[in-house]
Amino acid sequence: MINGRAAWFVLFLALAVGTSGCGGGGGISGTFAVTGMVADAEGQGVAGITLTAGSVTTTTGPDGRYTFSGLRGSAVIVPEPEEEALFYPQQQTASQGGGELENFVRVETQAVDEPQQVPEHGILAYPGMMLDAPDEAAATVTISAVDEPPHTSGMTTAGSVYAFVWAEPPTSSVQLRFPAPGDDQGNLGIFYLPQGAEEWVYVDSDVRDGYLHGWADAFSYYGVFEAPQAGAPEADPASGEVVIGSEIHLEAEDNAIIHFTTDGQKPTQDSPVYDPNTPLIMGEDDWTIKALAVLANHRSSPVSVFDYRAVPPESDDPEDVEHDPERSYAAGGYHFKLLYVPGGGVPDSSSMWTPHARHIYLAETLVTYELWDIVFRWAEDNGYTFVNSGRQGGAHTRDAWGNVVPEDPVGTAQHPVTTISWRDAIVWCNALSEMVGLPPVYHNKDDEILRSSDLTDEDLRDLRRHQTDGFQLPPSTAWESAARYRDEDDERADTIDFGERKWTPEDYASGAMASVDDEEASAEVAWFGTGFMDFDATTQPVAQLLPNELGLYDMSGLVWEWTSTFVQDSVWYGRRDYVARGGSWQFGVTSTQVGFRTYSLASTATLPDLGLRVSQAIH
């Protein structure tokens, strides 16, 4: 039994050994030598252990050390198996150049059918299996060998099978290691049989260090079997351009369960389950779906990857449909309007394909604190709840300990609302829709109107968007289409002709007459700071500077604007980050570039330079 992780995982510094006949451990040109040690659980050398490297054998000395010399090419070093112990790793590969190998650790096997305390940071070894518990998973377990495991139809026993009985269930996952016959996993896998079940479930397994590794958090029977692999899921359509609002169907052979992700993460058996009766609906953003099929008594399928590009319906073409240039609304006496934004392919130097922006209506200004507060109070009186109530503008001050804290309020109610999360923003959009008599966009998995921003990451993954005229956050590509608009008669030399439209260059602030290298030109259309975390800057009232060519104010600078676009390959597993566009008063002029697309935040983020601008989809 190992009581210290360091005791079995100590690495020695590599020692250079000669590889030619001019000295060193090789002695003969083209050969090399390696040295190492076999240690026990406490890190002490174990004498008399036989190791092989191909046809060459050696034995550890009194200090547990060994040497192989005269090796060529590469060699697999393997301790001779013992009935009363396992070695970790079970094998190591030595290659040209030689040197010092990692310790082999000899772990004495425990008796079956006897309770054992799994040590923190430690391993229990049994004939044909190791069990490794992380810090918080220590528990007491009795393990028994299973000679004839039940319900193994279609599978062949290919290693040890054990029954687990826990006196104290583990508080987190436990790692299992079964000796592997080689480097190739082939058809082998670790499976477990849940209590009372009649079908074995595959555990994600891989071969490393001569062992088949897998993590377990539910216990009855565990073992190694040779089993067929489930067929990979298929999708209809399989990939390519998909019209927004269209259905995407997933299917797998033999009615296998399909687990999928849409955030770029590799799917696992903990990922959402696809319901064949509820197809996925193509949203307004490009999408990557990854899917995994799980079938009883089978290894999990390979992961299928389906890439989709969102395109608007043909009817959403300005040549086919005449759109009003603006839409006007009033909420509690506050009047605001949205302007029509044509869509099309967006010139994007960072993308392998052309992102497509759909035609939308976009608010003339950022949401002011005045409008936010009017709707917020109405919403609270009508069954809505919010985690954050919003602030009147944003600035920075310092507390008595020198920590940076938001200052509230700043200026007037005509400053943009700030310190609201993405979750607050979409629920507020629903409230605004209902207040002016429009059907809300955002619904939960039960198809109920979303009226609370107290949401989980799973709630966001299950979020449903109805195709209505209600208010919503704009997709990042549609926001960029609005920010980069130039009139079809624009003949300036810097104007980009792309598709059926003309575009502002990516390194300009929206509406600016020159790139962000010209700060004076940028300052005519955008509020920005002198650099990151400018403590002298604050928000300003909306619509004080020049609008862009569509008539939209503050598309660059002032505050970052939440969009509906999430980052598919967020580094945080299980967390969906959302893109914010436009730059802010707190950042330098570089942030105001209309082509700045890489700023993303957690859906719970609340900042004094982060607000929103509403949009409406065109159906």
Side-chain angles (χ1 to χ4, degrees):
M1 188 189 305
I2 294 181
N3 294 308
R5 197 177 297 270
W8 59 273
F9 232 178
V10 175
L11 299 179
F12 288 83
L13 295 176
L15 302 175
V17 181
T19 60
S20 69
C22 15
I28 302 174
S29 178
T31 66
F32 65 95
V34 293
T35 60
M37 179 178 180
V38 177
D40 62 16
E42 283 67 43
Q44 301 300 312
V46 180
I49 301 297
T50 300
L51 302 98
T52 63
S55 60
V56 182
T57 63
T58 191
T59 303
T60 58
D63 58 356
R65 298 195 61 79
Y66 65 88
T67 299
F68 282 99
S69 58
L71 301 178
R72 294 179 179 274
S74 65
V76 177
I77 313 297
V78 181
E80 186 174 281
E82 298 182 18
E83 291 186 1
E84 66 276 9
L86 291 178
F87 293 90
Y88 189 84
Q90 187 171 248
Q91 63 184 44
Q92 296 188 63
T93 300
S95 57
Q96 192 73 32
E100 182 83 21
L101 294 179
E102 175 188 335
N103 277 7
F104 284 104
V105 180
R106 182 180 181 275
V107 186
E108 292 189 1
T109 54
Q110 304 295 314
V112 297
D113 302 320
E114 294 182 5
Q116 299 289 344
Q117 176 71 34
V118 182
E120 294 185 6
H121 302 289
I123 291 178
L124 288 178
Y126 292 87
M129 185 191 71
M130 282 184 171
L131 185 152
D132 181 9
D135 304 1
E136 69 278 13
T140 300
V141 63
T142 301
I143 293 179
S144 303
V146 180
D147 296 328
E148 296 183 5
H151 313 303
T152 57
S153 175
M155 304 194 302
T156 302
T157 305
S160 301
V161 181
Y162 283 103
F164 290 73
V165 177
W166 293 90
E168 303 168 21
T171 56
S172 64
S173 296
V174 170
Q175 184 171 194
L176 302 180
R177 299 187 181 99
F178 294 87
D183 294 331
D184 185 5
Q185 182 174 345
N187 294 328
L188 295 182
I190 300 174
F191 287 79
Y192 82 94
L193 183 67
Q195 189 74 38
E198 296 183 358
E199 295 176 332
W200 290 77
V201 179
Y202 177 72
V203 176
D204 286 331
S205 316
D206 66 296
V207 173
R208 285 176 281 121
D209 305 320
Y211 283 89
L212 190 61
H213 292 246
W215 288 88
D217 54 15
F219 292 89
S220 175
Y221 290 176
Y222 270 84
V224 177
F225 296 88
E226 186 174 290
Q229 187 172 32
E234 297 181 351
D236 181 23
S239 62
E241 294 185 349
V242 176
V243 174
I244 295 167
S246 298
E247 295 181 350
I248 298 174
H249 297 262
L250 303 180
E251 60 181 14
E253 299 174 355
D254 302 317
N255 295 318
I257 296 172
I258 299 175
H259 296 267
F260 72 97
T261 62
T262 57
D263 58 4
Q265 300 293 335
K266 179 182 177 181
T268 69
Q269 294 181 38
D270 294 324
S271 300
V273 175
Y274 173 74
D275 181 356
N277 298 315
T278 308
L280 304 176
I281 304 300
M282 187 68 202
E284 298 177 354
D285 302 307
D286 296 339
W287 224 6
T288 295
I289 297 173
K290 296 184 178 182
L292 176 79
V294 176
L295 188 61
N297 291 23
H298 285 65
R299 291 176 294 118
S300 296
S301 75
V303 174
S304 297
V305 180
F306 311 107
D307 291 311
Y308 300 102
R309 176 186 169 195
V311 296
E314 292 184 4
S315 60
D316 189 17
D317 189 324
E319 295 181 359
D320 300 332
V321 179
E322 184 174 343
H323 300 285
D324 295 329
E326 64 182 53
R327 293 176 177 176
S328 298
Y329 298 92
Y334 187 100
H335 294 267
F336 63 99
K337 62 184 178 181
L338 289 80
L339 307 181
Y340 172 70
V341 179
V346 179
D348 180 356
S349 61
S350 66
S351 178
M352 294 177 62
W353 58 12
T354 301
H356 198 102
R358 69 175 304 170
H359 312 284
I360 64 169
Y361 282 91
L362 190 63
E364 181 183 33
T365 71
L366 293 156
V367 172
T368 64
Y369 182 78
E370 181 180 1
L371 176 58
W372 170 272
D373 190 56
I374 289 170
V375 176
F376 184 88
R377 293 176 186 276
W378 178 92
E380 287 195 317
D381 291 339
N382 287 271
Y384 282 80
T385 60
F386 297 85
V387 174
N388 303 287
S389 57
R391 291 177 182 266
Q392 185 171 300
H396 276 131
T397 186
R398 293 183 184 272
D399 60 20
W401 294 273
N403 299 315
V404 176
V405 294
E407 184 178 342
D408 179 35
V410 175
T412 71
Q414 294 311 305
H415 282 233
V417 66
T418 62
T419 62
I420 46 101
S421 72
W422 192 91
R423 304 177 187 194
D424 296 317
I426 63 171
V427 172
W428 186 88
C429 285
N430 273 359
L432 176 61
S433 299
E434 286 202 285
M435 189 175 181
V436 303
L438 296 174
V441 171
Y442 300 101
H443 292 65
N444 63 21
K445 65 179 179 180
D446 297 321
D447 219 25
E448 300 167 336
I449 296 172
L450 206 61
R451 291 193 173 96
S452 171
S453 64
D454 187 9
L455 303 169
T456 65
D457 291 324
E458 184 176 356
D459 292 332
L460 297 187
R461 288 191 291 270
D462 293 333
L463 191 67
R464 297 184 178 184
R465 293 187 176 109
H466 283 205
Q467 295 189 44
T468 76
D469 289 333
F471 299 104
Q472 59 186 295
L473 297 177
S476 178
T477 50
W479 182 96
E480 184 171 333
S481 177
R484 297 180 64 182
Y485 177 85
R486 281 195 176 174
D487 188 79
E488 61 182 10
D489 298 325
D490 194 310
E491 298 296 336
R492 281 177 284 177
D494 59 359
T495 295
I496 298 174
D497 266 307
F498 187 84
E500 299 177 357
R501 276 190 44 191
K502 294 189 176 182
W503 302 80
T504 298
E506 292 174 300
D507 59 347
Y508 282 47
S510 182
M513 300 298 290
S515 76
V516 294
D517 292 336
D518 187 336
E519 291 198 11
E520 290 187 6
S522 301
E524 293 183 351
V525 296
W527 298 104
F528 52 87
T530 58
F532 178 65
M533 296 292 282
D534 184 346
F535 293 107
D536 295 324
T538 67
T539 55
Q540 301 292 330
V542 304
Q544 298 299 299
L545 301 177
L546 297 176
N548 71 3
E549 293 192 38
L550 273 177
L552 300 169
Y553 291 91
D554 304 310
M555 287 292 286
S556 287
L558 194 48
V559 295
W560 292 100
E561 303 178 26
W562 281 121
T563 73
S564 65
T565 302
F566 64 87
V567 180
Q568 296 191 7
D569 38 337
S570 167
V571 296
W572 300 103
Y573 178 73
R575 192 183 96 178
R576 180 169 287 187
D577 290 3
Y578 289 84
V579 175
R581 300 296 298 262
S584 81
W585 60 267
Q586 184 177 264
F587 284 69
V589 66
T590 303
S591 72
T592 68
Q593 297 176 87
V594 291
F596 193 96
R597 310 177 183 93
T598 57
Y599 189 60
S600 63
L601 298 160
S603 62
T604 54
T606 58
L607 300 171
D609 64 339
L610 179 62
L612 79 154
R613 183 188 305 260
V614 298
S615 71
Q616 288 177 301
I618 298 175
H619 304 292

